[in-house]
Amino acid sequence: MVILGIETTCDETAAAVVERSESGRGRILSNVVLSQVDEHAAFGGVVPEIAARAHVETLDRVIGKAMKDAGRAFASLDGVAAAAGPGLIGGVIVGLTTAKAIALVNEKPLVAVNHLEAHALTARLTDGTLFPYCLFLASGGHTQIVAVRGVGDYIRLGSTMDDAIGEAYDKTGKLLGLGYPGGPRVEAEAARGNANRFALPRPMAGKPNADFSLSGLKTALRLEAEKIAPISEQDVRDLCASFQQAVVDVVADRLRVGLKLFRDRCGNPTALVAAGGVAANESIRKVLQRLAFEAGTELVVPPAALCTDNGAMIAWAGAERLALGLTDTLDTPPHARWPLADVAAPVDPYGRKPG
Ligand code: KG4
Ligand code: ZN
């Protein structure tokens, strides 16, 4: 089957066409991503109203290019998928409404995809990863450890109680005057800094649950920076390095617990899978590699362009759901909040519920 996927939940306007064979293999026929980073940079973060307007202005063109690159007409599609949340509601409405219009006019099934489910299933598109696997999702909006047991069958093992990891990087970048998005810039500065210079906390370390908390780390960093103000270039590098080391230590501690919780509930994972923009970070990848090795499993990190927000992951999740007969009606609502645990699962012929 061939599916069009539309992503507009944050600051990327994206559309892609993906094919799924009957055996479950995926092939990306086109993948168009238009980033709005420049429009938000001046504000040091995503401005919801600007994002929604930019989606309205560009989505038609982005979809047109995705269809053209794939060499497909709407009539030849098997379905239309859009991210129906969670995310910034203005953008979600734009993408979902557009998908509904295409589905209605062309008489195609609509699949309203949960954005987190799309991140969760990407490893099956890129690497054919089998269930069950342990997902570490770390982006600007989300930080979660999830047991992925099947399509629509997710257990959240841990999540952040305040800031997401990418958000903590972005706030650190902003505080140190590095611009937006902070993640790649903080990483670059950290590479030339001394990670032992500042003693920053490792929030939640040693706790028996697998939750994260990052706002205290950010505050501690601010206090250290204020203590030595005005800060030099080398101070910035050392602050970034110390911050990144603290994040890496927290990820190691929290994921170790997450993998243990996974084994207690689901047995051995087929893989540790990373998703989200933060997975682009070399130091974080290294620690994930170590954790996977310790846990006797393999690490799967999809290519960076598929870890960050994109249309291919929405199309793929749509295809996985459509293959199981999971479609949505044209009155399906957009969601600002939509926990993975609330995603509809396939109906079990024996009436059993996942869990
Ligand atoms: O998944 P993504 O593209 O968008 C969403 O937030 O959904 O992730 C973007 C986030 C930003 O917070 C960005 O700063 C962070 O991922 N990020 C990084 C790196 N590259 C991107 N964080 C740390 N190190 C990086 N190299
Ligand atoms: Zn995302």
Side-chain angles (χ1 to χ4, degrees):
M1 63 173 70
V2 176
I3 299 271
L4 167 68
I6 298 171
E7 159 59 38
T8 54
T9 62
C10 191
D11 60 345
E12 252 94 33
T13 312
V17 179
V18 167
E19 186 176 47
R20 184 184 185 278
S21 72
E22 282 201 9
S23 63
R25 292 182 72 89
R27 193 158 69 95
I28 298 173
L29 305 183
S30 67
N31 192 22
V32 181
V33 181
L34 188 69
S35 173
Q36 304 173 358
V37 149
D38 294 346
E39 274 145 277
H40 301 288
F43 303 93
V46 179
V47 183
E49 184 59 28
I50 294 178
R53 282 170 193 270
H55 288 308
V56 172
E57 280 161 19
T58 57
L59 185 57
D60 283 1
R61 258 185 296 135
V62 169
I63 292 173
K65 178 154 177 23
M67 296 302 294
K68 189 160 173 273
D69 288 357
R72 292 276 172 167
F74 288 139
S76 72
L77 294 174
D78 296 294
V80 183
L88 301 173
I89 196 68
V92 176
I93 291 171
V94 174
L96 183 59
T97 308
T98 306
K100 286 177 179 177
I102 297 170
L104 177 66
V105 170
N106 297 280
E107 298 180 355
K108 302 293 175 188
L110 171 77
V111 189
V113 168
N114 178 298
H115 178 93
L116 302 174
E117 177 171 48
H119 276 303
L121 297 176
T122 301
R124 292 170 54 75
L125 165 65
T126 57
D127 293 75
T129 307
L130 299 175
F131 299 124
Y133 53 87
C134 183
L135 173 77
F136 174 56
L137 169 61
S139 68
H142 305 279
T143 298
Q144 298 193 1
I145 303 173
V146 179
V148 182
R149 301 195 302 180
V151 174
D153 186 1
Y154 310 101
I155 306 173
R156 196 172 69 185
L157 301 171
S159 66
T160 182
M161 304 192 308
D162 38 60
D163 293 349
I165 296 182
E167 189 180 357
Y169 267 92
D170 292 338
K171 287 180 175 169
T172 296
K174 192 172 179 182
L175 175 81
L176 299 175
L178 299 174
Y180 174 83
R185 299 174 194 198
V186 170
E187 181 178 21
E189 295 296 322
R192 291 180 294 160
N194 172 5
N196 298 318
R197 177 161 162 211
F198 299 98
L200 298 174
R202 272 49 174 170
M204 306 296 284
K207 287 260 169 19
N209 63 39
D211 289 333
F212 292 77
S213 167
L214 292 142
S215 65
L217 177 55
K218 176 195 66 198
T219 308
L221 179 106
R222 181 170 53 77
L223 295 176
E224 292 291 344
E226 281 170 6
K227 257 192 246 165
I228 56 164
I231 51 176
S232 69
E233 278 183 12
Q234 191 55 46
D235 293 335
V236 169
R237 293 177 193 143
D238 294 346
L239 283 162
C240 287
S242 302
F243 166 81
Q244 181 158 280
Q245 189 56 51
V247 172
V248 165
D249 290 350
V250 166
V251 168
D253 180 77
R254 305 289 69 213
L255 253 181
R256 235 176 236 127
V257 178
L259 282 160
K260 181 181 175 309
L261 296 178
F262 187 103
R263 276 192 301 273
D264 292 348
R265 297 186 68 166
C266 319
N268 286 331
T270 60
L272 171 63
V273 171
V278 177
N281 184 290
E282 270 311 311
S283 307
I284 289 179
R285 274 174 187 242
K286 260 194 211 141
V287 79
L288 296 181
Q289 191 71 60
R290 201 173 74 218
L291 288 163
F293 181 77
E294 270 176 32
T297 192
E298 68 163 328
L299 176 68
V300 173
V301 187
L306 297 173
C307 275
T308 55
D309 291 350
N310 64 86
M313 71 179 191
I314 305 297
W316 174 253
E320 292 243 68
R321 295 186 70 80
L322 190 56
L324 294 168
L326 293 164
T327 59
D328 295 274
T329 52
L330 290 175
D331 59 359
T332 293
H335 307 268
R337 275 182 45 76
W338 189 6
L340 257 183
D342 295 352
V343 169
V347 177
D348 183 278
Y350 303 103
R352 290 169 305 199
K353 289 224 163 76

